[in-house]
Amino acid sequence: MCLATAVNVAYLAAQTGRSTVLWDLDPQGAATYSLKGSPDDRVSAKKLARGKRATERLKMMTRSLHDGFDLLVLDRPPGMTMLTENVLRAADVLLVPIVPATLSLRMLDQLGGFIAHTGWTDIRILPFFSMVDRRKSLHESLITNARTRHLQFLVTEIPHWSDIERITVRRAPLPAFAPASPAARLYARLWEEIAACIGEPVRAR
Ligand SMILES: Nc1ncnc2c1ncn2[C@@H]1O[C@H](COP(=O)(O)OP(=O)(O)OP(=O)(O)O)[C@@H](O)[C@H]1O
Ligand SMILES: [Mg+2]
């Protein structure tokens, strides 16, 4: 998952009453940076990424967090690495931001193929479009075609807006520094869709 999604979704989940952990598994630590956190070597994603046995720990660690929290948001590094495979094993839901581009959609197909091949089919894949520019006819046609082929796409689309880019400048979730902005409202809608899929009621605080 990309940092903008992880940071905003985790914030909105916490705001609606779920006890939430955001775990930055990307060794580049962009989500940590975006929340003014400092890296902690003891729980470094680099250690989890080292080898197959080390990454088995991820499932064990997420299991132990499972009992204490309502939601665990894992920001995974890009690419199909060993760590990603272990995230797929540990997660119930995989949020997949898709830029309307052929290669991004191809990655979604590859992911579906990989999951079918491994048999880890109890994971729920929730793709949604991000970085969308509806003025581009290519975005329009790619989105229309993809929605026909992949019925599980969430309805909410996140446009390519500069408010969202500011997350790494303000170092805060968008709904925290610009709660009334159209972009924050779209993330709130995205979160409502995710909350409906993961099945628990959204409780107001
Ligand atoms: N819809 C958007 N519109 C504008 N800027 C965005 C949007 N989504 C993300 N960004 C910005 O782009 C930068 C990269 O964020 P992104 O969410 O793509 O995460 P990432 O973790 O770098 O991606 P990946 O893990 O796939 O490499 C950040 O500065 C973020 O604020
Ligand atoms: Mg990332």
Side-chain angles (χ1 to χ4, degrees):
M1 191 195 302
C2 299
L3 87 94
T5 317
V7 164
N8 291 334
V9 163
Y11 178 84
L12 290 165
Q15 254 208 334
T16 51
R18 282 179 167 85
S19 54
T20 304
V21 172
L22 170 59
W23 190 359
D24 186 356
L25 286 173
D26 190 334
Q28 291 193 347
T32 306
Y33 177 84
S34 300
L35 292 177
K36 300 196 181 110
S38 39
D40 183 339
D41 281 344
R42 288 167 304 165
V43 289
S44 158
K46 282 178 199 144
K47 279 188 193 153
L48 285 168
R50 251 176 223 154
K52 195 171 175 134
R53 263 187 55 212
T55 56
E56 302 259 307
R57 270 190 292 171
L58 183 65
K59 199 171 165 98
M60 280 157 50
M61 288 162 89
T62 53
R63 266 206 204 128
S64 59
L65 286 166
H66 196 266
D67 297 333
F69 296 91
D70 294 333
L71 189 68
L72 174 59
V73 177
L74 304 173
D75 184 12
R76 69 166 190 88
M80 275 306 291
T81 60
M82 181 73 79
L83 183 55
T84 295
E85 287 188 28
N86 282 276
V87 169
L88 294 182
R89 282 184 67 193
D92 302 315
V93 171
L94 189 68
L95 266 178
V96 193
I98 298 287
V99 179
T102 311
L103 291 181
S104 192
L105 287 158
R106 184 168 167 265
M107 180 279 290
L108 183 61
D109 286 336
Q110 287 172 335
L111 187 66
F114 178 79
I115 286 169
H117 177 73
T118 54
W120 302 335
T121 45
D122 51 352
I123 191 168
R124 179 113 189 244
I125 300 189
L126 297 180
F128 66 95
F129 285 105
S130 186
M131 300 272 204
V132 175
D133 185 347
R134 280 282 187 176
R135 292 168 306 180
K136 292 183 177 164
S137 58
L138 184 60
H139 279 202
E140 279 284 344
S141 59
L142 280 171
I143 290 173
T144 306
N145 288 341
R147 285 199 180 281
T148 316
R149 286 180 51 233
H150 299 271
L151 296 175
Q152 80 270 41
F153 261 101
L154 297 179
V155 174
T156 309
E157 291 172 11
I158 305 293
H160 192 176
W161 278 344
S162 50
D163 268 353
I164 303 168
E165 267 171 292
R166 290 199 189 99
I167 291 168
T168 49
V169 179
R170 299 289 299 261
R171 298 182 72 184
L174 178 72
F177 70 79
S181 64
R185 282 204 288 271
L186 279 178
Y187 273 105
R189 260 197 243 160
L190 183 72
W191 162 244
E192 279 166 22
E193 280 197 78
I194 297 162
C197 288
I198 60 181
E200 285 173 58
V202 179
R203 286 171 282 135
R205 219 170 220 179

